Amino acid sequence: MKQSVVLITGASRGIGEALALTLLGRGDRVVGLSRGVSEQTIAHERFMAVNVDLSSLAEAEMAMHRLFETLTPDAIDDITLINNAAALAPVTPIEACASSDIASHLHVSTAAPALLTSLFLQKTAEWPVPRTVVMMTSGFAGIPAASMSLYCASKAFLNMFVRCVREEQRLSSRPARVIAIDPGMAETDMQAYARSREDESFPVGALLRQAHEAGQVLAPRDAAERIARLLDERGADEQAVLRV
Ligand SMILES: NC(=O)c1ccc[n+]([C@@H]2O[C@H](COP(=O)([O-])OP(=O)(O)OC[C@H]3O[C@@H](n4cnc5c(N)ncnc54)[C@H](OP(=O)(O)O)[C@@H]3O)[C@@H](O)[C@H]2O)c1
């Protein structure tokens, strides 16, 4: 039986875990790429965990080579890569950031998604199935925020990266669908950590506390269901950046 195959980075918790469970629930095969693993997904027969630290590009590249040794297009209806993993830290003014923190953030949130996209498009280039690449972005791509320069700039990078790769795919005889999705605010470790920060150098913390009190933060499962619907929909003049 043929199946949709979805590779999700950061499927061990938060939005990525909820998305993996939603897609498994509708019959897809899911490969989760992260350092940890969710007990809920690992128990599923159609879930495969790939242990990888995306702050190491060498490790990320090796993981993709090994993974694609196990995948062939014969039993696949369509294949999707969702670059969901991201770092929030360091949440601090840039002059207080250590070089290792800057490097790690940029590797996980920009370089690894770019590398995985490159390898995914290379390895599936001859596959006669629809291919989709998704970047999980954020409204902060367009909102400058103190103590979040790396996070905001990384999301702006992803949005422009998507727009450029879409231009490349337009020139291809078998173009892949390439989009960014903004999941909105969802109740995850990342959201809870940002909300817990009360220091003056991070005014976004107060805004997130207000949003939480106003009930504007989605349960991860609700965000995941909205993302899954966006994956299924495809308008004729689809935008590069979609919001749930
Ligand atoms: N939550 C929100 O309100 C919100 C709003 C807008 C956009 N987003 C975006 O949505 C995505 C998911 O966010 P979330 O809130 O679910 O985040 P989260 O709860 O912090 O989860 C992050 C995921 O990324 C993985 N990850 C982090 N560093 C990694 C590394 N070095 N190597 C491999 N995997 C790594 C984690 O897995 P391991 O730790 O197991 O490796 C985890 O599964 C992110 O791109 C985020 O920017 C979230």
Side-chain angles (χ1 to χ4, degrees):
M1 190 180 71
K2 287 201 174 190
Q3 271 172 335
S4 297
V5 171
V6 187
L7 320 182
I8 308 177
T9 65
S12 59
R13 48 199 164 86
I15 293 170
E17 178 191 34
L19 188 55
L21 292 169
T22 297
L23 298 177
L24 287 166
R26 71 182 197 181
D28 296 355
R29 263 170 74 193
V30 176
V31 180
L33 300 101
S34 47
R35 296 164 301 181
V37 69
S38 144
E39 287 185 9
Q40 287 192 74
T41 57
I42 198 72
H44 206 290
E45 61 179 2
R46 276 180 279 103
F47 182 82
M48 178 181 159
V50 173
N51 182 269
V52 59
D53 182 348
L54 296 171
S55 67
S56 161
L57 295 187
E59 216 179 283
E61 182 162 16
M62 185 65 73
M64 284 293 273
H65 289 314
R66 288 214 181 110
L67 172 60
F68 272 89
E69 283 169 11
T70 70
L71 294 175
T72 63
D74 312 336
I76 292 178
D77 275 324
D78 54 83
I79 185 160
T80 299
L81 167 67
I82 303 180
N83 287 292
N84 163 77
L88 176 62
V91 179
T92 186
I94 196 65
E95 62 267 35
C97 295
S99 61
S100 56
D101 293 338
I102 294 173
S104 174
H105 182 106
L106 294 176
H107 280 158
V108 174
S109 300
T110 62
L115 174 65
L116 266 52
T117 299
S118 167
L119 293 169
F120 176 85
L121 291 174
Q122 280 172 34
K123 288 181 180 296
T124 59
E126 305 300 325
W127 290 23
V129 300
R131 302 172 300 152
T132 300
V133 176
V134 178
M135 295 290 185
M136 209 62 82
T137 186
S138 163
F140 281 111
I143 304 171
S147 293
M148 289 180 75
S149 57
L150 293 174
Y151 185 83
C152 297
S154 291
K155 295 306 185 186
F157 169 96
L158 292 183
N159 287 3
M160 180 54 87
F161 179 85
V162 161
R163 290 168 64 193
C164 295
V165 178
R166 283 163 67 93
E167 293 301 314
E168 293 169 2
Q169 293 301 305
R170 270 190 241 284
L171 304 174
S172 161
S173 55
R174 278 198 336 98
R177 180 189 186 202
V178 183
I179 52 173
I181 294 180
D182 172 2
M185 283 184 284
E187 189 56 29
T188 65
D189 291 351
M190 186 183 283
Q191 179 71 218
Y193 172 74
R195 192 168 61 231
S196 74
R197 289 283 302 268
E198 298 196 9
D199 30 314
E200 278 179 14
S201 62
F202 182 55
V204 164
L207 296 176
L208 296 179
R209 287 190 287 281
Q210 280 170 18
H212 183 247
E213 279 163 25
Q216 292 167 351
V217 183
L218 291 173
R221 187 197 304 168
D222 293 335
E225 280 170 9
R226 294 182 189 196
I227 293 165
R229 278 200 293 276
L230 284 179
L231 292 176
D232 289 340
E233 289 167 8
R234 180 170 201 159
D237 52 356
E238 183 179 53
Q239 299 293 306
V241 181
L242 310 177
R243 195 167 194 286
V244 301

